Amino acid sequence: MFQTETGKDISVAKKFLQAGEVVAIPTETVYGLAADALSPEAVLKIFEVKNRPFFDPLIVHVHSKSEIEKYAEDVPPAALQLIERFMPGPLTLLLKKKNIIPDLVTSGLDTVGLRIPRHPLTRELLKELPFPLAAPSANPFGYISPTTPQHVADQLGGKIPYILDGGSTEVGVESTIIGFDEGVAVMYRPGGLSLEEIEKVIGKVKLPDAENKATLSPGMLKSHYAPRKKLIILDDDTLQIPETNRNETAVLAFDSFLKDYPVENQLLLSPSGDLNEAAKNLFSAMRKLDASGHVKLILTVRFPDVGLGRAINDRLKRAAS
Ligand code: TXA
Ligand code: MG
């Protein structure tokens, strides 16, 4: 057990990480639960704190582009273009790993997920550390990712020594994950960098082959990012509203309130209809409704399937299953 402290002191975070401990760190997407990626003992603690199964690999966070070649090889040309254009940023690339990355980090896979986070505090921390940081999102396995230091403290308080406080995260949904199939880009997880942006740089990106389970990222686990309460997505074509007491039903809407529900039970993710703002607010809103005593059921709508709307729909779909 730890007396968890929250603070902005990089040197404290550094001290714990160098001692092989786990520290929560801010990124531009969500908070991560970080440890020395080159130390299996330290990485093991991440799995323990999160209660995460060992078959689910971790993303490795590095400081700069030149570090990517320390940990990955045979980097395809399309990956180089994405690195050049979008890193640091909300993008993770699955690349052929070098031996220096422990098998525990990649769950025995021969690829490693690499990303350069954009948050200034964490970039500074990475710059000062002699090792990269393995970090999944800082939530118990299967629950909603944290976007504030308080979210982390609420669930992992007592289990880690330090939360590096970088404020509320800027993007609000996890990084987009891109892998390569014989050099061709495949999007394994829609996230904070839109498919449109990526395709502008490297052309058509494939979606993973649902038939071939081996190619699916464990991050594609169907039930994930889930609140504890039941969540239902109202499709336009299936507008049958469940028979629950209206006052026990909360609504997570995009830019306008649903007609049939009391306004005080509804949260708008972006009154101005901005999908980036909606993504930023998504997980906080889900947590808020999950924690509110009188709410038994959460209803939500389908978002436009463009830009960050894809990541929002993906997370809602997993939360509903
Ligand atoms: O924005 C993010 O990506 C955040 C911040 C903290 O960086 N991290 C994050 O990590 O979302 P996590 O562990 O919650 O989700 C990463 C997903 C995992 O579910 C895992 O399945 C997938 O990435 N992944 C990691 N390495 C992989 C690999 N080598 N092959 C396939 N999937 C991988
Ligand atoms: Mg996660």
Side-chain angles (χ1 to χ4, degrees):
M1 282 299 276
F2 293 97
Q3 184 77 38
T4 305
E5 271 185 55
T6 299
K8 298 179 194 300
D9 195 339
I10 289 173
S11 64
V12 176
K14 184 178 168 188
K15 185 193 75 187
F16 283 121
L17 290 164
Q18 286 194 298
E21 296 296 345
V22 170
V23 167
I25 57 165
T27 83
E28 77 280 31
T29 57
V30 300
Y31 274 73
L33 195 59
D36 177 351
L38 306 182
S39 158
E41 294 75 23
V43 169
L44 191 59
K45 291 186 188 167
I46 298 178
F47 286 93
E48 286 169 0
V49 170
K50 258 193 86 110
N51 210 352
R52 180 177 174 115
F54 292 119
F55 61 74
D56 198 358
L58 306 178
I59 293 172
V60 173
H61 299 68
V62 300
H63 170 255
S64 63
K65 294 176 192 175
S66 62
E67 274 195 78
I68 290 175
E69 64 203 42
K70 285 198 208 161
Y71 307 112
E73 56 195 8
D74 301 341
V75 181
L80 291 173
Q81 284 177 282
L82 293 177
I83 291 167
E84 200 42 48
R85 177 67 184 77
F86 296 116
M87 290 196 182
L91 172 67
T92 296
L93 297 180
L94 304 180
L95 300 170
K96 185 155 185 270
K97 89 175 187 77
K98 286 190 173 172
N99 281 337
I100 182 171
I101 300 288
D103 287 331
L104 181 59
V105 170
T106 62
S107 304
L109 297 173
D110 61 1
T111 56
V112 58
L114 286 168
R115 113 170 179 85
I116 307 176
R118 189 166 68 196
H119 195 289
L121 267 188
T122 289
R123 291 207 74 205
E124 189 61 35
L125 175 65
L126 284 167
K127 193 169 159 187
E128 290 194 16
L129 286 169
F131 47 77
L133 292 173
S137 51
N139 49 280
F141 182 70
Y143 196 68
I144 305 162
S145 298
T147 56
T148 68
Q150 189 59 48
H151 292 165
V152 182
D154 287 346
Q155 292 189 302
L156 301 181
K159 295 190 170 172
I160 54 175
Y162 198 64
I163 299 169
L164 185 61
D165 180 354
S168 292
T169 62
E170 171 201 339
V171 177
V173 290
E174 301 84 349
S175 60
T176 301
I177 301 182
I178 301 281
F180 298 89
D181 178 7
E182 294 179 356
V184 179
V186 181
M187 183 171 74
Y188 288 95
R189 176 175 76 180
L193 179 65
S194 74
L195 184 62
E196 290 87 342
E197 288 285 309
I198 293 170
E199 290 192 330
K200 260 189 239 161
V201 175
I202 56 168
K204 196 82 191 133
V205 171
K206 288 201 298 186
L207 295 180
D209 177 1
E211 300 297 297
N212 180 1
K213 288 238 171 62
T215 68
L216 289 181
S217 157
M220 312 280 285
L221 283 178
K222 239 177 126 197
S223 167
H224 221 81
Y225 312 100
R228 303 194 198 294
K229 287 174 187 158
K230 192 168 174 53
L231 183 145
I232 295 177
I233 303 171
L234 296 172
D235 284 299
D236 293 335
D237 34 274
T238 60
L239 248 179
Q240 320 151 332
I241 289 141
E243 295 277 318
T244 320
N245 183 338
R246 297 272 146 117
N247 293 318
E248 296 179 339
T249 302
V251 177
L252 204 58
F254 180 24
D255 52 0
S256 52
F257 295 114
L258 297 194
K259 281 198 306 290
D260 298 332
Y261 294 87
V263 166
E264 61 274 18
N265 286 2
Q266 305 200 38
L267 286 179
L268 297 185
L269 291 186
S270 172
S272 66
D274 175 351
L275 287 168
N276 294 347
E277 183 182 39
K280 184 182 166 116
N281 292 330
L282 175 67
F283 290 150
S284 278
M286 279 166 75
R287 276 176 189 261
K288 192 166 164 191
L289 297 181
D290 212 19
S292 97
H294 68 283
V295 174
K296 297 233 165 68
L297 174 71
I298 303 169
L299 297 182
T300 179
V301 298
R302 198 167 293 284
F303 284 68
D305 220 17
V306 294
L308 293 207
R310 273 198 196 83
I312 296 173
N313 284 333
D314 173 81
R315 303 307 186 271
L316 289 175
K317 206 165 75 202
R318 288 172 210 284
S321 68

